[in-house]
Amino acid sequence: MPTGLVALLDDVAGIAKLAAASLDDVSAAAGRAGTKAAGVVIDDTAVTPRYVVGFSPDRELPIIGKIALGSVRNKLLILLPAALLLSAFAEWAITPLLMLGGAYLCFEGAEKLVHSLGGHHDEADGEEAVPAFEEPAAIEARKVSGAVRTDLILSAEIMAIALADVAEKSLATQAIVLAVVALLVTAGVYGVVGLIVKMDDIGLHLSRRDNGLVRAVGRGLVKGMPVVLRALATIGIAAMIWVGGGIIVHGLEHFGLTPLPHLIHDAAEAAAHALPAIGGFASWFVQALGSGIFGVAIGALIVGGLKLVKR
């Protein structure tokens, strides 16, 4: 009996170690996948605040909550099963689909850039004309619906990038990693968005305090938020183009079309050697710049092609 108990405890210890190792693998894989999807996450964060512009402050957080709930549904009920099916039955399709998504990001970023440079801000924001006398609840529902549709596209990119990073893992590990990435990204993005859109209210509250320093901070927040929102819009456009271009560049390398990927890689290495004190940043910046230039070119070609088709 004692021998049997020891053997049982050894088995339990072995299972516990295996489970711990599996959890470590999942955590590491989720971390790597989330890091690789960071560019799209930045884009998602930058895009979302515009959907609550024009609503009363008491409706801002409820609207963000509805969009976040729609984002979770997108990721867990639509994209996660689709990603697992692709991994199990059509793994070859992951890279082409990533490249198509990258091309879409380049197109959207280039279109926004063209409209921004041309001064057509309303079109660049993608806002539809608001019907006269439309009920606030209908406007809110329409805004939320549009935000959830946009989130579906960006979430598909996030999930595809995460899936590509864990393609060699077991199906169960893939499912857990994708679910973890989905929940963490959603919580992170919409938590930051909620903080951004309420920052002016926080600043207004602080500006009414008795302490002079606190009042100054509050006034700074109120005055600074329009600048922050404009900066986020610019970052969002840049992120679309750089991430989209980077995805296509990696896809070209995957299919053996290496001249452009090697050119960007060599330029990044040269920058790192030239600036050893900031080698990591210099390498990243040159790679992002190269991907961004290529992304602008791809996006401009698609925008121009669509204009020709319309004509």
Side-chain angles (χ1 to χ4, degrees), residues 267-287:
E269 282 197 342
H273 288 307
L275 300 168
I278 53 169
F281 173 78
S283 175
W284 171 85
F285 180 79
V286 171
Q287 283 187 331

Side-chain angles (χ1 to χ4, degrees), residues 30-305:
R32 288 194 304 271
T35 301
K36 289 188 176 182
V40 188
V41 173
I42 292 170
D43 183 22
D44 206 358
T45 306
V47 164
T48 306
R50 69 187 177 92
Y51 288 103
V52 298
V53 173
F55 289 97
S56 61
D58 64 312
R59 293 304 305 158
E60 290 174 344
L61 290 183
I63 290 172
I64 291 170
K66 289 180 181 179
I67 298 172
L69 184 61
S71 178
V72 170
R73 285 198 297 263
N74 283 342
K75 292 181 179 75
L76 296 185
L77 301 184
I78 299 173
L79 297 172
L80 177 57
L84 294 178
L85 286 172
L86 276 176
S87 180
F89 300 109
E91 190 174 341
W92 57 268
I94 294 175
T95 299
L97 288 174
L98 268 174
M99 294 177 74
L100 283 175
Y104 176 80
L105 287 177
C106 291
F107 158 70
E108 191 174 358
E111 188 179 41
K112 287 178 182 294
L113 187 60
V114 168
H115 284 305
S116 178
L117 293 175
H120 304 298
H121 300 295
D122 290 338
E123 290 180 47
D125 288 340
E127 297 293 337
E128 301 172 4
V130 178
F133 309 113
E134 187 175 8
E135 291 292 331
I139 297 174
E140 181 175 314
R142 182 164 50 79
K143 289 272 190 176
V144 169
S145 177
V148 171
R149 283 197 303 271
T150 300
D151 174 88
L152 179 63
I153 297 167
L154 295 173
S155 293
E157 285 299 303
I158 291 168
M159 298 293 274
I161 292 170
L163 178 62
D165 196 61
V166 294
E168 302 302 320
K169 302 288 185 181
S170 68
L171 202 62
T173 300
Q174 289 178 9
I176 296 171
V177 167
L178 292 179
V180 169
V181 169
L183 294 174
L184 289 181
V185 165
T186 303
V189 166
Y190 292 100
V192 171
V193 168
L195 184 62
I196 289 170
V197 300
K198 299 307 290 184
M199 195 62 73
D200 53 351
D201 292 336
I202 295 171
L204 186 61
H205 175 73
L206 293 177
S207 68
R208 294 169 178 168
R209 302 293 292 271
D210 294 332
N211 186 290
L213 178 60
V214 173
R215 283 203 308 273
V217 171
R219 287 195 295 269
L221 287 175
V222 172
K223 292 178 181 177
M225 282 316 297
V227 177
V228 170
L229 291 174
R230 285 196 295 272
L232 279 175
T234 302
I235 291 170
I237 293 173
M240 284 182 188
I241 294 170
W242 133 52
V243 172
I247 289 170
I248 298 174
V249 168
H250 287 305
L252 291 175
E253 189 171 23
H254 175 81
F255 287 116
L257 304 172
T258 57
L260 179 62
H262 285 178
L263 176 65
I264 295 174
H265 177 72
D266 292 344
E269 282 197 342
H273 288 307
L275 300 168
I278 53 169
F281 173 78
S283 175
W284 171 85
F285 180 79
V286 171
Q287 283 187 331
L289 181 63
S291 298
I293 293 171
F294 181 65
V296 168
I298 293 294
L301 284 173
I302 297 173
V303 170

